[in-house]
Amino acid sequence: MSITAKDLINQLNLTQSQSDHIEECIFLIKCSKHNEKIHKCAINMIIYKLKQYAHKINLEDVARLLAFYADSYLKEYINQKLQNITEYTYRPEEDFNFLRVSRNNEGQILRVSYRTSLLVDFLKDVFLIKFIGEDVAFWNGKEYRLGTSACLDLIGKISSLFDIDRLKPSDLYNTKLIKGALSQTNRANANLIPLKNCVVKIDERNPDIEHVKVQPISTALNITNSLNTSVKFDTISENTFIKFANTTYSKKADIAFNEWANYDPDVRANLEEFVGVCLYQKQFIRKAVILVGSKPRCGKSSFCDFLKALIGEENTSSLSANNFKERFSLSMLVGKRLNIGAELARGNLDDLTVANLKACITGDPVKIEEKGIPATTFCNQAKIIFNCNELPHFQDSALLSRFVLIPFEHQFPETDFTDDLTHDQNAINYLFLLGIKGLLRVLARVRQNKMGKTYTPLFTPSKRIAEYTAKFESESNHIIEYCHLAETKEDLIRQPEKKEFNTEQEYLNYTVKGAYIRFKAWCNDNGYYTKNNYPTCAKFKDTACRVLGIFTRKENYTNLSKLDRTGKARVQPLVFSVTPK
């Protein structure tokens, strides 16, 4: 039976500082498996610290702990070190050449400093620091972690582990370390999906379950954001994933999906496909998802929690729509697979929020800032999902087209069994399988669109989603909302009894220009648009004609309030009409 670091620490009754050091040692052991020399040095260090901190050590527990985290071929080396633990002496500067250790006459450590160039070499050799895409990344033993903040945390952890005096992570990061990493820029492979124990590889050219393969985790693969699931196997073969697909099922999760979709197979297919694109680290669909459900206990939160259990807490951010305009918030998306936003409030979003949302949904460059770090740009890879009880207003049609609305119309009982899904590993494995199948459907349509002459929507067509989308567009488009007012059509198409007007106001009552002015006044009364952000008169005209089934034509009017230089008052304004020209 294996023992975890937490179990051993609890047994030893260590202080918080000592516990942190043991966990940092284990972190170094996990990260250094590819470097045998440093791997052994990390084992030496944890044995020394355990001897130093604990009055009584169960050597069998320590052996099991190290066997769990260290490479199996070092079992004999570990046993030899433990047998001689009573006589074991340790000088960290001998194992880690970047350390400068000052001691007193009794050999006790007074101060630990570092040699900058050697420490940088150590960090690069052990943690394989490089650029993946636009983001700096380091190896954490199972994957590369992305982002400046994560890299600064790594340097801080190493500083704490060795008790290095006056090491400022930001100073080291902003100098030699980052410059050295710049020469190792790499591109991530979206077809590689890392799990806890292996990597699943998708074949874009053959997007079907038979061509999904499994391969070992390796530092040579630019993999990031491992999922909280695994594929069981004795040895990896060509059919490993097919065996996983044929034996993985959760009745509980299957029922939950049917109820979340209110037993609509097309809505369920859209849910599965969104899970699938969250597994694929590429913004190729250029869409975000809004879960819409006005009923209490309709399942929006339980679905998001279940998805988060698969994606992983550390791979998920939680920016609300309004956070997208805040100075430091966007940096939280770096190195994430998924952003689950809080309830999307009904109302208009400001220009900066809209601009940043569009850029993040489509994966276009956006400016980010982190405290103490120069501003930079990055291309977001996290998929975005929002919840809402009522459909929000979006005055930007380009943003409107970036959302897929998925209705949640089922009402769960007071005790919702779906809450247990987040703790059911079999259900999480099944969710991963559903996501892979959904992703393969989407990729097959992408390939079909590249090869064919007609365009196929990437998500499964759904009548219910189409109805919600039409309602969403109607309620988000204030011109359409204005056209649906009972008195609007009559106001637009009314004709004057005579075509001669004494005042400008009388004249405007019967023209497209005047109707547009009245529309803007109505928007002002309802607080719909910010200053100078109204849709154009041409857009108002075209939308009104489309929605109300009317036309425009030029009319011969006489406007006596505006005489031209020759004294004539005849004009030909554009007016609305129930008949074509």
Side-chain angles (χ1 to χ4, degrees), residues 196 228 250 252-253 260 302 304-310 313 416-431:
K196 289 191 290 188
N228 182 31
S250 169
K252 186 188 296 185
W260 283 326
S302 60
C304 289
D305 290 342
F306 191 30
L307 179 57
K308 186 177 180 179
L310 169 64
E313 179 88 28
D416 184 1
F417 77 92
T418 60
D419 293 337
D420 299 331
L421 293 173
T422 59
H423 307 294
D424 185 338
Q425 189 59 54
N426 182 56
I428 293 172
N429 294 346
Y430 182 61
L431 174 62

Side-chain angles (χ1 to χ4, degrees), residues 185-302:
T185 301
N186 300 267
R187 297 200 68 81
N189 186 346
N191 294 316
L192 299 178
I193 304 173
L195 312 185
K196 289 191 290 188
N197 67 332
C198 64
V199 177
V200 170
K201 185 175 182 180
I202 303 294
D203 187 346
E204 271 186 297
R205 296 182 178 181
N206 298 285
D208 54 64
I209 206 78
E210 287 76 17
H211 286 87
V212 178
K213 303 302 177 185
V214 174
Q215 61 188 77
I217 294 172
S218 168
T219 58
L221 305 175
N222 295 321
I223 52 174
T224 63
N225 308 103
S226 297
L227 302 175
N228 182 31
T229 186
S230 57
V231 172
K232 292 182 180 179
F233 55 82
D234 295 323
T235 57
I236 294 177
S237 68
E238 285 290 305
N239 299 321
T240 297
F241 193 83
I242 294 177
K243 291 177 181 177
F244 168 77
N246 291 337
T247 56
T248 301
Y249 177 73
S250 169
K251 183 178 180 180
K252 186 188 296 185
D254 206 27
I255 293 172
F257 261 88
N258 286 332
E259 294 188 337
W260 283 326
N262 205 26
Y263 299 94
D264 185 319
D266 294 334
V267 173
R268 171 170 174 157
N270 274 258
L271 286 174
E272 294 174 358
E273 287 155 7
F274 179 70
V275 173
V277 298
C278 290
L279 311 181
Y280 203 69
Q281 291 188 289
K282 189 177 180 182
Q283 289 287 29
F284 69 108
I285 60 164
R286 302 169 69 85
K287 298 275 188 180
V289 164
I290 298 179
L291 307 182
V292 185
S294 57
K295 295 178 181 178
R297 303 188 308 278
C298 63
K300 300 193 302 291
S301 296
S302 60

